[in-house]
Amino acid sequence: MREGKPANRKRRRTKVPLWRWRNNPVRRRDDVLEAWLLLTIWVLIAVGGTVAGLATARAADQVFAQQRAERTPLPAVLLDDVPRAATGMGRDLASARVRWTTSDGATHSGMTLVTTGKQAGSTVRIWIDAQGKLSTQPPTPTRAAVEAGLFGVAAALAVSGVVFGIGGYGRWYLDRRRIQRWDREWALVGPKWGHKTR
C-alpha cells in the first residue's frame, strides 16, 4: 500500500513577527513609517480613548451631582385638569399649570410636566432650581452613574473613531505612495525582463 498525504494537513504560513521593525532587504522607509503609525494609533486609542471617557464620565457625574444639590422638590397645586392620554401606554406626562408657595411665603405659578389623569386641585410634586424657577427632576445617583458611564463610553468611542479614521487615511496614503513607487521601479526594471539573455 502506498502512503498518501494526510487528508487534514494544514498549510502553515511563515510569519515573521514585527517584520516592519526588523532590518531586512525588502523593508522600505514607508514600512517603518507605517509601523510607527500603527503603534501611535493603538496607543492613542488605548490612552486617549480611556482618558476622554473617564474625563467625560467624571464631568457628567459632577453636573448631575450639582443638579441634585441645587434642585429642591416642593408640593404644588394643579390648576387645570390633566385628562389621561388615549394611548394608555404606561406613565404618560402632559404639560399643565401649577401653583406653589416657596419657603419665604411667595406664591408662584408656571407650566410643568405632570402625570396624566389628575384633577385640578390635586397636589403634585415639582422641582425648582436655585433661582426659584421650575426645573426638571434631577437624575437619581444610580441613573446619574449610568448616564455618566454612557457619556464616557460615547466619548471614548468618538475619540477612538477619529484616531482610527486619521490612521486609516495615513495608511491609505502610504499604500498609494508605495504603489506609485513600485510602478516607477517596474517601468525601469520590467522591460529588461522581457528580453532573452544570450
Side-chain angles (χ1 to χ4, degrees):
M1 272 177 79
R2 277 174 34 179
E3 290 184 16
K5 290 183 181 177
N8 290 333
R9 190 173 183 183
K10 291 185 179 179
R11 291 176 123 186
R12 291 184 71 190
R13 238 174 94 184
T14 305
K15 265 191 160 181
V16 179
L18 304 173
W19 69 271
R20 287 182 179 97
W21 297 97
R22 295 173 183 229
N23 194 12
N24 64 68
V26 291
R27 185 186 74 172
R28 297 175 182 231
R29 185 171 169 262
D30 287 347
D31 297 328
V32 176
L33 287 174
E34 186 176 17
W36 280 107
L37 178 65
L38 287 172
L39 179 65
T40 305
I41 289 169
W42 289 114
V43 167
L44 286 176
I45 286 175
V47 176
T50 302
V51 168
L54 291 174
T56 302
R58 184 173 180 179
D61 196 43
Q62 287 175 349
V63 168
F64 294 142
Q66 184 177 357
Q67 288 176 353
R68 285 193 301 277
E70 290 178 349
R71 295 180 187 176
T72 310
L74 285 177
V77 176
L78 192 61
L79 299 178
D80 301 315
D81 290 341
V82 185
R84 188 168 297 285
T87 59
M89 296 181 66
R91 184 179 169 212
D92 294 328
L93 297 174
S95 185
R97 286 187 316 130
V98 293
R99 183 178 63 234
W100 71 96
T101 304
T102 56
S103 57
D104 61 359
T107 302
H108 303 275
S109 63
M111 299 288 288
T112 190
L113 290 175
V114 297
T115 307
T116 58
K118 295 195 176 274
Q119 302 290 327
S122 301
T123 301
V124 294
R125 185 170 75 162
I126 61 166
W127 292 83
I128 59 169
D129 60 18
Q131 288 77 36
K133 295 179 182 176
L134 278 171
S135 185
T136 56
Q137 179 178 353
T140 63
T142 303
R143 184 175 169 190
V146 170
E147 288 186 20
L150 290 175
F151 283 132
V153 169
L157 289 175
V159 168
S160 299
V162 169
V163 170
F164 193 78
I166 292 170
Y169 176 78
R171 291 188 72 194
W172 171 82
Y173 176 76
L174 288 173
D175 283 343
R176 192 168 162 232
R177 197 163 81 168
R178 265 191 295 255
I179 290 170
Q180 288 171 349
R181 286 182 179 171
W182 288 338
D183 285 344
R184 282 195 301 269
E185 289 175 13
W186 182 252
L188 295 171
V189 177
K192 295 177 184 174
W193 283 23
H195 301 296
K196 291 183 178 178
T197 57
R198 291 184 183 181

